[in-house]
Amino acid sequence: MMFPLGSRRSLLGGGGGGLRSSYYLRPNKNCNLTAWPAGCEPGWACNVKKEDNVDIKNDREIPERVLDCQPCCPGFFCPHGLTCMIPCPLGAYCPRAQLNQATGVCDPYRYQLPPGQANHSCGGADIWSDFNTGYELFCSGGFYCPTTTQRLPCTEGHFCRSGSTAQMPLRRVIARRFSLKEELAGYLLS
């Protein structure tokens, strides 16, 4: 189920400032004090019953989604407290996480595995945020990401800024920086 930007607020617990109040979701139909399937963990998701007809355009109703929980697919993010997969936007790099044995954190994200669940593994991305707070989710400078699961190095003669989905020829980048015709003509003649 995809959630339009405006619906994020309706799922969040509490109001007013700080990371804590904006990161954790209110208990919902699938993830609450009495039920917490593996898909409620960050980077994981669950399926709906095959016989359920889910209206993906209805962002007001969360379907029951608690079956066959698995790690979130590469290219998607699965927030803590929701059992659905949400596509990462283009320009993001959302690979499957790997457990860092030294820190116990699922890299490149910042979540840990739930204690006491030996068959649980790192999943996909668990958050999506703006560049200032979630820069590691964007394709790194010097690379471009044509899809949310591919990260390719920028080749010689090209420029790739953070969040690039394609390489940009270096000549085009330099030409954009010149505003006067004389400077541009001087560059092209040399």
Side-chain angles (χ1 to χ4, degrees):
M1 173 182 245
M2 295 186 347
F3 295 96
L5 291 176
S7 68
R8 179 177 179 263
R9 175 162 274 181
S10 68
L11 294 169
L12 296 176
L19 180 62
R20 184 171 290 278
S21 67
S22 65
Y23 183 71
Y24 292 100
L25 299 170
R26 287 193 317 232
N28 58 64
K29 178 190 277 187
N30 298 314
C31 305
N32 54 61
L33 295 174
T34 58
W36 196 266
C40 295
E41 292 297 328
W44 276 58
C46 300
N47 288 319
V48 296
K49 294 176 188 170
K50 287 182 182 179
E51 61 271 9
D52 286 353
N53 291 324
V54 178
D55 178 6
I56 62 171
K57 293 182 181 179
N58 180 359
D59 68 345
R60 302 236 182 257
E61 186 177 327
I62 297 175
E64 186 174 311
R65 185 184 299 269
V66 295
L67 303 174
D68 191 27
C69 300
Q70 296 183 28
C72 192
C73 294
F76 290 81
F77 72 102
C78 299
H80 180 258
L82 285 181
T83 57
C84 62
M85 289 195 298
I86 303 167
C88 292
L90 284 178
Y93 179 56
C94 300
R96 174 93 182 259
Q98 298 295 318
L99 181 62
N100 182 324
Q101 296 290 338
T103 64
V105 173
C106 293
D107 286 337
Y109 313 112
R110 296 180 182 147
Y111 61 88
Q112 293 180 306
L113 299 179
Q117 293 186 22
N119 64 347
H120 202 86
S121 63
C122 292
D126 63 324
I127 59 169
W128 180 251
S129 58
D130 60 43
F131 184 80
N132 291 330
T133 57
Y135 65 90
E136 67 276 353
L137 299 181
F138 284 89
C139 196
S140 313
F143 293 86
Y144 68 102
C145 298
T147 70
T148 56
T149 58
Q150 278 186 300
R151 189 174 75 159
L152 304 171
C154 218
T155 58
E156 189 175 333
H158 291 84
F159 177 76
C160 300
R161 63 185 179 103
S162 272
S164 293
T165 58
Q167 300 183 89
M168 186 180 288
L170 194 53
R171 185 176 189 144
R172 200 167 119 202
V173 173
I174 293 171
R176 281 186 182 173
R177 292 189 179 162
F178 290 102
S179 59
L180 299 174
K181 287 182 181 178
E182 296 81 24
E183 290 178 308
L184 184 57
Y187 170 73
L188 293 174
L189 292 174
S190 56

